[in-house]
Structure formats: structure tokens, C-alpha cells
Amino acid sequence: MATQERWHLAVEGRAFEIVLTHAGLGREIVWLADGEEIARKRTSDEKVVLAGGDAGAVGVRLPAFLGPARRVTHFAPSGSESSDAATQAHLGVGGTDFDPAPGSAAARREAWIRAHPRQYGARRVAAAVAGVVVPLLLLWLLARYALPAIPWPDWDLPLPDLPSLPLPDIPWPDLSLPDWSLPGWLEPVRDALKFVGPVLLAGGIAYAEVKRRRDQDARKQAGRAGGPIGDEDR
């Protein structure tokens, strides 16, 4: 059953709306300006960019499976150039976020993140930990219980005798390379980085996302109060 969600943003007197329709594994995204369609795309990607000519571009961040869009952001063009807006949308740098429709699942998620920034960061870190620990646990269970229980056939295949080829004797130079081995006390740190790295990265991304949302709220509040929201604020 197809479900819809709507996101809204007012930009320089124009009412932008993103209508996102979820249908199975695919999504259809329609960008409207004052009720008129200016871009449409159907995709199953998690990062989508819609180019709207002189209206700029919109970047949409979608979840991997189910749930509302994570973020919908408008990127204004610089002067007469509209291609730079699409470039910014692909990079995800700057821009102004759309607001989800009040009462929607996306609006409830946005409100929860703003009200519980630490819990949001903890969830991201927990997901990163699970992404590291769960595959290791599954591999251990597979090696410990599943593989020994499989009745593997006893293959004894005769290998053919391959002829030996006379290879030329090339006088390679004798190079003495420096020893780049790490000190012994650094080896445990190196081994731990491949597990700790994703967790630290998830924590950093969560912190940056909370800070970005706070900056967006402050800029929108300044705009409602009559303050300028220019490209330099993006």
C-alpha cells in the first residue's frame, strides 16, 4: 500500500513542497513550487537530488528500508548558475531544510531528535556497535558450530603434471628497504581502530547532525523575525 509524506518550505515568496510517495521498494519524489510541478524522480536510492533550474536543487536523504525521509534540503543557486545548487545538493553542504507536515511520522522524528539529542547520539553509536559486533558474532557461530557440522565430501582429485618452463634469470637489483614495522605497544591500538573507528565516526556524525539541526532552527527563526538568510549563512 502506497503511503505519502509532505515537506514544506517558503523561499523568497515561493511555496515549495516535496511530495514523497512510498510504494514497495521504490519511492516517487515530486517537487512542487506554488502548486506546479518542477521536478520528479522515481528511485530506490538513499540519496536523491532533484534539479529545478532557477529554483535550485533539492537533496533528499531516505532510509535504507522503511520509515520517513531523514532530511529534505533546498539549495539555492548562486546568481544565474543553477548547476552549483545541484553540486551542493550532492555534497550535502549548506542549504535550508524543509519542514515535515505537522503530525507526520517525520515531524515526530524531528521533534524527538531535537528534544533528546543525547539519546539520538547514543542510538547512532549503538547501531554502529551492533554493526561491528553482530557480524563478528555470526562468523564465530558459523566457524564454531555450523561449519564443523557440515558433512564435507572427501575430494581427492589427481592433479596433472605441469611441464616446467625455463624462465630467464633476470639480475634484479638487491634493494634494502627500511623496516617500517610499528612498535609493539602500537599494534593493539592498530588492531582496535578497525572496531573503534566506526563507533567514533557514528558518534561524530550524530553530533554534527544535532548541531546542524540547531543551526537550521536558529536561521529559520531569524528569517521569521525579519533577519536575512543569505548564501553566506548556508
Side-chain angles (χ1 to χ4, degrees):
M1 180 178 179
T3 59
Q4 274 191 352
E5 58 179 291
R6 295 175 180 268
W7 297 69
H8 305 275
L9 179 66
V11 177
E12 298 180 354
R14 305 179 71 181
F16 288 161
E17 182 180 20
I18 293 293
V19 181
L20 203 158
T21 304
H22 301 266
L25 298 178
R27 293 126 168 164
E28 185 177 53
I29 306 171
V30 180
W31 180 7
L32 304 173
D34 297 325
E36 296 185 2
E37 179 181 324
I38 59 176
R40 177 188 295 261
K41 184 173 289 188
R42 185 174 182 84
T43 181
S44 59
D45 297 336
E46 296 181 37
K47 296 181 180 180
V48 186
V49 173
L50 284 79
D54 61 353
V58 169
V60 183
R61 298 291 182 90
L62 298 165
F65 300 104
L66 302 176
R70 297 292 186 252
R71 186 201 310 172
V72 179
T73 308
H74 174 255
F75 299 86
S78 298
S80 60
E81 295 293 332
S82 59
S83 60
D84 64 328
T87 301
Q88 292 181 51
H90 282 287
L91 295 175
V93 178
T96 304
D97 286 351
F98 280 66
D99 295 318
S104 64
R108 293 192 295 270
R109 179 179 181 272
E110 295 271 324
W112 186 90
I113 292 175
R114 285 169 169 79
H116 306 87
R118 293 184 179 179
Q119 289 91 326
Y120 171 72
R123 286 188 178 184
R124 293 294 298 265
V125 171
V129 171
V132 173
V133 174
V134 171
L136 292 177
L137 180 60
L138 292 177
L139 287 175
W140 180 82
L141 291 174
L142 183 67
R144 179 68 176 82
Y145 297 103
L147 293 180
I150 297 176
W152 299 101
D154 186 12
W155 287 324
D156 188 10
L157 300 177
L159 298 177
D161 293 330
L162 298 177
S164 60
L165 298 177
L167 299 177
D169 188 10
I170 301 176
W172 297 107
D174 186 11
L175 299 177
S176 179
L177 298 177
D179 186 7
W180 294 103
S181 61
L182 291 174
W185 62 273
L186 275 180
E187 292 183 1
V189 177
R190 179 198 60 188
D191 295 338
L193 282 178
K194 57 186 176 183
F195 303 113
V196 178
V199 177
L200 295 178
L201 179 61
I205 292 175
Y207 172 80
E209 180 64 16
V210 170
K211 183 178 182 301
R212 191 193 66 82
R213 290 173 187 271
R214 288 175 177 170
D215 293 342
Q216 287 280 334
D217 292 343
R219 289 176 48 233
K220 289 180 180 179
Q221 187 65 30
R224 296 187 186 101
I229 302 180
D231 290 339
E232 67 275 4
D233 296 321
R234 296 188 180 94

